[in-house]
Amino acid sequence: MQERHDQIVSTPSPIHHLQLGIEIAGTLSLFSPIRIWHQSTDMGFPATTLIFAAIGIVASLCTVICFNRGSSSNLFHLTLVLTATICCWMMWAIVYLAQMKPLIVPILSEAE
Amino acid sequence: MDHFMENLPPMDLMRSEKMTFVQLIIPAESAHRAVSYLAELGLLQFRDLNDEKSPFQRTFVNQVKRCAEMSRKLRFLKDQISKAGLISSHSILQSDIFLENLEIHLAEHEHEIIEMNSNSEKLRQSYNELLEFKIVLQKACGFLVSSHGLAVSEERELEENVYSNGDYVETPFLFEQEIKPEPSNQSGLRFISGIICKSKALRFERMLFRATRGNMLFNQASADEQIVDPISTETVEKTVFVVFFSGEQARTKILKICDAFGANCYPVPEDISKQRQITREVSSRLADLEATLDAGIRHRNKALSSLGGQLPKWMDMVRREKAVYDTLNMLNFDVTKKCLVGEGWCPIFAKVQIQEALQRATFDSNSQVGIIFHSMDALESPPTYFRTNSFTSPYQEIVDAYGVARYQEANPAVYTTMTFPFLFAVMFGDWGHGICLLLGALVLIARERKLRTQRLGSFMEMLFGGRYVLLLMSLFSIYCGFIYNEFFSVPFHIFGASAYRCRDSSCRDAHTTGLVKYREPYPFGVDPSWRGSRSELPFLNSLKMKMSILFGVVHMNLGIILSYFNARFFGNSLDIRYQFVPQMIFLNSLFGYLSLLIVVKWCSGSQADLYHVMIYMFLSPFDNLGENQLLWGQRPLQVVLLLLAVIAVPWMLFPKPFILKKLHNERFQGRTYGVLNTSEVDLETEPDSARKHHEEFNFSEVFVHQMIHSIEFILGSVSNTASYLRLWALSLAHSELSTVFYEKVLLLAWGYDNLAIRFVGLVVFAFATAFILLMMETLSAFLHALRLHWVEFQNKFYHGDGYKFKPLSFASLIEDED
């Protein structure tokens, strides 16, 4: 009884890790195609940043191809796409980084 | 890197078009045509060479007067058409009509319509009078029959009917002046019949009573319906009255009183057969008049509607002519009085088109002499012209609303196109509301063609003009809504399961110590577990405040970098060395460092207190940091940054005025006899300073200006960074409002089982969302995002003291009129 209690309440044991690993691998997660090995190496941030960069490059190429109206016009469109991509990435990155190692945790309210 | 930058083509819309000052010499016979063709092209802004002259001293003042007169007539006709309630049909295209013929045409039509109107007026007045007479006949007959018994029967001959208001047009056949022989008894009973406004009836009766000292009998009966008073043409309620009196004096008194009270008196015969006869006559006459009136109105409407279709075209023509003559008034006659000389600004790319238009004008007017068109140098700074399309023009207008860009300085609209909707979305973030905005924007864009030709109210006009802004705002709002994880304030688990769970399976202490994070952070956006928890606000507040600071520092850095590009473009190395560099150092050593600390604290999860760190960096920089240590080597780093910031202040304050003074002395050394007014531009100093103060250099003025600029920047760096916290404030307000409406209206109503209460709750929720969140919050976030751009972003680099290019253009005339 005490051991079980310890197992549940204490910091993650190897069995816990295995359970987590299977759970996470089974979860359909859009943004971490790489399987999580260990909790502290977090591949989510660089991976998603690369995804944002890729979307930005694809969007730029599409804009240049679809709205090709001369080099000065292309430069302007590229600036627009770049600005939008950077804004979106910054927003996501800030929210992600803020949740990486939070100092407070959600405390459910009484009504639930 | 520099080489790469040099080889980049100039970006569209970044700097205003290159303009050139031109002079035109037009022979008199082709002047009108040339100006018309130029106005059709719409790329030349004329300068008013006759500024000092009053409008009446100008050359073409008569033509302008004629145009004004014609447009007055056209407006009159338009008024008449709208009063008659006719819908103007788009008539078949008639052949082009010349201006002189149009003038004559219009004069004829106006005269005709005025005449028809006055005739109708007269007919209508008679009609109303007859109508009143008919009613008087109807009602008064009743009194007379009854009074007949009252009156002394022997005095039947007293049928002297009295009437006033003798200026009728058709009185003759109605009223036969029956002057019966006076009976021997002078004081026989007579009567006056008429009709008066109901409101005045009581006072009228009292007045009559007093005037005749009670020797009168007053009978009244109200008319059944409201009738139109012939003189005042108002629809009022009237009362028919009959006054019985005796004596001549009483008669005059009563007549005067009737006149004073505006009562219309009509004679009513006593004899019944006569009454019937007159009633019949009146009715037939009424029918005739009605028919005549109808015919008249139909005739007039036919004339008006035949004009109606051509009115817009004529108005356009007159407007164009007036614009052309106004422009011709701006030109000067030269010495020989055979040519007109004009000056103006045009973009360099348009010179070929203008040349071509002028050649066409020369050819079409069969002139022997061509039009001379050449560039000149100008003293003043050129106007600012941006070639925008329907996507970028609302952004350019937003920027121009604060101040039109100086000639060829960096245009903030390039970045505003994306950052403005983005900052709006940071304050508005909710993907449910974002979808509503998106639907609205799509509706406006889908009906673009139809709405463009319609005349919309001023609010709809603005909304329609900004449809692409609205589209981008809504798209970014949907994105930020996903990040904040709010759909009408409800979080979803779209991107996977939450990163938090209970410590144990019974979730005992979920309400006291809370959940625990067991996996890596939620991949996209705010974790859904936060919503509804007690520690939600502390977490979100901390997140959003830090986010606002980060956005603010990045935005302001962008502004300062744009000032670098401006200085490089104008060749102003002084500005780069003594303004850009110290500004960057100051801002980044303080607030850039703060941003770095924020990011490091997030990544490391340390418990350091950033307020403490920043404040004690200034108060006691050499103290040990203790548990507030975030970086390795933080203490020496802070000391270095503080020193850099302190050095940056005199760096941006002192050197520039002294160097400017030195440069000025070098340039004008030895030229004590005065400077020849050359148009060469000295590339070292700023272009406009060379022209404006070529002689005087007021050192104290320059120094004070620099001091103000520096202090503004230094103090502004703190206040502007704090100003970005409005991003946090508004997003909090939006989220809280949304939560309140959802929880306290919708959920509350849904809790009941009653269908009616649920329906009412849904309706209240919908209205509250639509009006408060979608309209008020949209406007509020729009305004604050605008302020952030206008003040915090633009005061780092934007001068905004140029003037807009306003070419003579027929296309813009229509917009100006409306």
Side-chain angles (χ1 to χ4, degrees):
Chain A
M1 186 61 180
Q2 184 66 14
E3 283 170 30
R4 264 200 80 221
H5 183 74
D6 275 346
Q7 203 178 38
I8 292 165
V9 171
S10 64
T11 50
S13 63
I15 301 177
H16 226 80
H17 279 303
L18 194 57
Q19 280 180 334
L20 280 173
I22 293 170
E23 206 176 332
I24 290 161
T27 315
L28 192 62
S29 183
L30 288 168
F31 289 100
S32 44
I34 306 166
R35 231 166 24 112
I36 309 297
W37 287 65
H38 196 275
Q39 243 184 330
S40 42
T41 57
D42 189 0
M43 296 295 288
F45 188 79
T48 320
T49 306
L50 278 173
I51 292 178
F52 269 96
I55 294 177
I57 293 175
V58 166
S60 319
L61 286 172
C62 283
T63 320
V64 171
I65 292 173
C66 296
F67 295 100
N68 199 349
R69 240 164 257 162
S71 62
S72 65
S73 199
N74 280 344
L75 197 61
F76 174 59
H77 294 142
L78 280 181
T79 308
L80 291 182
V81 171
L82 192 68
T83 315
T85 311
I86 291 183
C87 286
C88 292
W89 172 79
M90 261 186 73
M91 184 82 190
W92 169 82
I94 287 171
V95 171
Y96 189 87
L97 286 176
Q99 293 184 102
M100 263 193 353
K101 301 206 169 138
L103 296 170
I104 53 177
V105 286
I107 302 174
L108 299 178
S109 57
E110 298 297 321
E112 331 227 19
Chain B
M1 177 63 185
D2 239 8
H3 189 66
F4 172 71
M5 300 272 281
E6 299 287 332
N7 282 351
L8 279 178
M11 181 156 50
D12 244 9
L13 211 68
M14 181 66 163
R15 297 188 189 275
S16 66
E17 300 288 329
K18 288 211 183 61
M19 311 288 275
T20 172
F21 191 64
V22 293
Q23 192 182 51
L24 289 157
I25 303 181
I26 316 175
E29 62 267 15
S30 42
H32 185 268
R33 212 175 272 272
V35 174
S36 317
Y37 288 177
L38 284 177
E40 267 169 40
L41 194 60
L43 284 171
L44 187 67
Q45 177 180 347
F46 281 95
R47 195 211 254 174
D48 195 352
L49 295 169
N50 297 326
D51 233 347
E52 333 75 48
K53 292 199 196 154
S54 78
F56 297 103
Q57 288 171 320
R58 307 223 183 178
T59 336
F60 295 93
V61 66
N62 283 327
Q63 280 83 347
V64 174
K65 265 199 261 185
R66 279 164 63 190
C67 286
E69 182 62 27
M70 273 196 276
S71 66
R72 185 197 62 82
K73 291 198 182 107
L74 283 168
R75 271 198 307 271
F76 168 75
L77 288 173
K78 191 161 163 218
D79 263 342
Q80 289 295 313
I81 291 181
S82 65
K83 259 199 256 177
L86 298 166
I87 313 164
S88 56
S89 57
H90 297 287
S91 71
I92 40 157
L93 236 54
Q94 279 200 350
S95 61
D96 274 331
I97 195 169
F98 286 117
L99 202 66
E100 301 79 26
N101 297 351
L102 181 64
E103 236 182 320
I104 301 169
H105 227 71
L106 279 179
E108 274 174 20
H109 283 301
E110 192 198 11
H111 184 71
E112 202 185 322
I113 302 276
I114 290 182
E115 216 181 288
M116 279 198 265
N117 277 349
S118 70
N119 285 344
S120 287
E121 279 304 308
K122 284 195 221 128
L123 282 177
R124 200 168 280 284
Q125 192 179 7
S126 331
Y127 180 79
N128 286 334
E129 280 167 359
L130 275 178
L131 202 60
E132 278 191 346
F133 188 33
K134 185 169 164 197
I135 295 179
V136 168
L137 279 174
Q138 279 173 349
K139 302 284 175 175
C141 288
F143 296 142
L144 293 178
V145 164
S146 58
S147 76
H148 231 58
L150 288 175
V152 178
S153 47
E154 303 99 60
E155 263 77 9
R156 257 149 68 107
E157 298 98 67
L158 295 173
E159 287 170 39
E160 189 172 306
N161 300 325
V162 183
Y163 59 93
S164 58
N165 281 357
D167 53 339
Y168 286 19
V169 177
E170 30 262 320
T171 33
F173 86 100
L174 271 180
F175 308 117
E176 305 146 36
Q177 194 63 278
E178 283 188 17
I179 303 174
K180 291 272 164 69
E182 285 286 334
S184 47
N185 196 345
Q186 286 282 350
S187 58
L189 203 60
R190 300 198 220 128
F191 69 92
I192 292 179
S193 56
I195 191 166
I196 189 173
C197 287
K198 206 177 197 154
S199 50
K200 299 190 206 166
L202 195 60
R203 287 183 303 152
F204 182 57
E205 187 183 350
R206 242 184 266 145
M207 190 62 130
L208 284 175
F209 189 81
R210 275 194 220 125
T212 55
R213 295 204 188 94
N215 293 336
M216 68 117 194
L217 180 65
F218 187 85
N219 272 339
Q220 62 174 337
S222 67
D224 296 321
E225 60 199 0
Q226 291 193 342
I227 50 179
V228 183
D229 184 70
I231 300 172
S232 66
T233 62
E234 286 172 355
T235 317
V236 284
E237 280 205 13
K238 293 220 174 185
T239 317
V240 177
F241 66 88
V242 177
V243 184
F244 292 96
F245 60 93
S246 60
E248 189 59 36
Q249 278 185 336
R251 183 174 84 91
T252 36
K253 276 191 213 158
I254 291 176
L255 281 178
K256 281 203 193 118
I257 295 173
C258 284
D259 224 358
F261 273 81
N264 301 329
C265 297
Y266 300 96
V268 173
E270 278 203 43
D271 194 20
I272 291 193
S273 58
K274 263 234 171 91
Q275 285 171 3
R276 279 200 219 115
Q277 182 198 11
I278 287 196
T279 315
R280 271 198 302 276
E281 276 174 16
V282 167
S283 303
S284 73
R285 181 70 183 156
L286 268 176
D288 278 344
L289 266 184
E290 228 175 286
T292 317
L293 266 175
D294 275 340
I297 289 182
R298 256 182 288 128
H299 180 58
R300 187 193 68 160
N301 286 356
K302 206 161 64 116
L304 280 177
S305 55
S306 73
L307 290 176
Q310 303 171 39
L311 263 188
K313 204 165 71 105
W314 287 346
M315 290 187 97
D316 205 27
M317 236 178 83
V318 170
R319 234 183 275 139
R320 288 185 183 199
E321 285 298 312
K322 183 160 185 295
V324 168
Y325 280 115
D326 277 336
T327 312
L328 284 174
N329 273 338
M330 289 193 214
L331 310 177
N332 261 340
F333 266 110
D334 78 333
V335 231
T336 61
K337 290 282 181 207
K338 287 210 210 106
C339 290
L340 284 168
V341 175
E343 291 177 354
W345 291 100
C346 79
I348 291 189
F349 71 82
K351 274 179 78 169
V352 173
Q353 294 171 337
I354 295 181
Q355 195 74 274
E356 190 199 40
L358 291 174
Q359 273 170 4
R360 254 191 315 134
T362 313
F363 183 70
D364 284 343
S365 60
N366 298 322
S367 162
Q368 307 296 343
V369 189
I371 302 179
I372 301 176
F373 171 72
H374 67 128
S375 307
M376 277 184 3
D377 283 328
L379 274 183
E380 62 193 15
S381 157
T384 313
Y385 179 50
F386 287 111
R387 274 196 283 181
T388 54
N389 54 22
S390 63
F391 178 71
T392 50
S393 78
Y395 292 105
Q396 193 59 50
E397 272 173 35
I398 286 177
V399 169
D400 284 346
Y402 185 70
V404 179
R406 200 185 264 193
Y407 179 62
Q408 294 230 301
E409 72 165 341
N411 184 14
V414 168
Y415 296 99
T416 305
T417 312
M418 285 296 160
T419 56
F420 173 74
F422 178 70
L423 287 184
F424 169 86
V426 170
M427 294 191 265
F428 194 76
D430 184 317
W431 57 280
H433 300 147
I435 289 179
C436 297
L437 279 187
L438 181 67
L439 289 174
L442 286 177
V443 161
L444 282 175
I445 294 177
R447 305 173 73 197
E448 201 172 40
R449 207 166 299 148
K450 196 172 82 116
L451 285 172
R452 202 196 301 256
T453 51
Q454 270 180 5
R455 277 193 66 173
L456 312 159
S458 68
F459 180 68
M460 269 304 288
E461 190 86 48
M462 274 200 295
L463 204 61
F464 178 69
R467 59 195 181 282
Y468 289 108
V469 184
L470 200 60
L471 177 72
L472 278 185
M473 274 160 43
S474 60
L475 289 175
F476 275 116
S477 299
I478 294 178
Y479 178 80
C480 280
F482 280 124
I483 296 242
Y484 289 151
N485 215 341
E486 286 191 14
F487 176 79
F488 294 100
S489 88
V490 176
F492 279 88
H493 293 250
I494 300 180
F495 297 101
S498 164
Y500 292 93
R501 61 152 193 208
C502 293
R503 279 171 216 272
D504 53 31
S505 46
S506 65
C507 278
R508 257 179 299 127
D509 38 5
H511 300 272
T512 46
T513 33
L515 307 172
V516 69
K517 179 168 180 288
Y518 71 101
R519 31 187 288 213
E520 88 279 5
Y522 198 66
F524 191 86
V526 172
D527 199 299
S529 303
W530 284 106
R531 158 73 65 236
S533 66
R534 276 192 292 152
S535 53
E536 175 192 7
L537 276 182
F539 171 71
L540 279 183
N541 282 349
S542 158
L543 165 69
K544 288 182 181 174
M545 282 169 108
K546 293 178 177 161
M547 171 187 79
S548 313
I549 301 281
L550 288 172
F551 279 134
V553 170
V554 171
H555 206 206
M556 288 195 286
N557 270 315
L558 179 64
I560 304 181
I561 291 174
L562 280 178
S563 84
Y564 165 72
F565 282 110
N566 263 346
R568 221 172 75 109
F569 180 81
F570 290 115
N572 197 346
S573 63
L574 206 65
D575 261 357
I576 297 178
R577 268 180 264 140
Y578 300 105
Q579 205 159 297
F580 166 70
V581 173
Q583 279 183 351
M584 279 297 265
I585 291 179
F586 185 82
L587 188 69
N588 288 320
S589 66
L590 295 179
F591 297 100
Y593 177 61
L594 174 62
S595 315
L596 178 70
L597 285 182
I598 290 174
V599 176
V600 169
K601 181 175 174 183
W602 277 341
C603 288
S604 66
S606 128
Q607 295 219 341
D609 184 356
L610 290 180
Y611 289 121
H612 196 270
V613 169
M614 285 306 289
I615 292 173
Y616 281 88
M617 177 172 150
F618 286 88
L619 288 184
S620 38
F622 294 106
D623 272 1
N624 204 349
L625 286 163
E627 74 224 1
N628 288 332
Q629 181 101 2
L630 278 166
L631 312 162
W632 178 83
Q634 189 171 349
R635 201 157 50 115
L637 178 66
Q638 282 186 192
V639 172
V640 167
L641 288 176
L642 194 60
L643 267 174
L644 279 176
V646 168
I647 294 174
V649 174
W651 188 351
M652 65 173 96
L653 183 55
F654 290 111
K656 192 169 158 197
F658 289 103
I659 295 184
L660 276 177
K661 184 174 163 74
K662 195 164 73 98
L663 283 174
H664 179 265
N665 285 341
E666 277 173 17
R667 233 182 103 204
F668 294 105
Q669 207 172 35
R671 298 200 200 165
T672 48
Y673 288 110
V675 185
L676 275 177
N677 201 356
T678 63
S679 52
E680 287 162 63
V681 179
D682 207 325
L683 285 174
E684 276 181 21
T685 54
E686 297 135 47
D688 41 335
S689 73
R691 296 193 183 110
K692 298 245 174 67
H693 30 263
H694 47 264
E695 271 289 4
E696 352 113 14
F697 179 82
N698 201 343
F699 178 73
S700 56
E701 206 179 288
V702 173
F703 186 75
V704 167
H705 176 85
Q706 188 62 25
M707 192 168 73
I708 291 175
H709 194 78
S710 309
I711 291 181
E712 195 188 331
F713 180 80
I714 292 165
L715 292 180
S717 69
V718 178
S719 82
N720 291 348
T721 309
S723 183
Y724 277 92
L725 286 172
R726 69 188 68 224
L727 294 173
W728 157 62
L730 261 93
S731 99
L732 177 69
H734 188 96
S735 156
E736 288 298 306
L737 274 174
S738 191
T739 307
V740 161
F741 289 142
Y742 179 72
E743 280 176 12
K744 302 283 185 274
V745 175
L746 197 63
L747 284 187
L748 193 68
W750 216 258
Y752 293 91
D753 237 342
N754 193 346
L755 199 63
I757 297 186
R758 283 189 179 182
F759 180 70
V760 166
L762 194 63
V763 165
V764 171
F765 174 73
F767 270 97
T769 303
F771 284 107
I772 297 183
L773 285 172
L774 286 180
M775 275 191 219
M776 191 190 85
E777 275 288 313
T778 304
L779 283 175
S780 172
F782 184 94
L783 178 79
H784 284 283
L786 201 60
R787 177 252 156 72
L788 282 177
H789 279 81
W790 278 353
V791 179
E792 275 77 22
F793 177 55
Q794 285 181 352
N795 74 2
K796 302 286 181 291
F797 68 99
Y798 194 57
H799 291 114
D801 50 7
Y803 61 106
K804 218 168 164 174
F805 179 62
K806 281 206 181 65
L808 172 69
S809 159
F810 283 150
S812 63
L813 275 182
I814 308 170
E815 290 150 29
D816 279 344
E817 277 285 321
D818 302 336

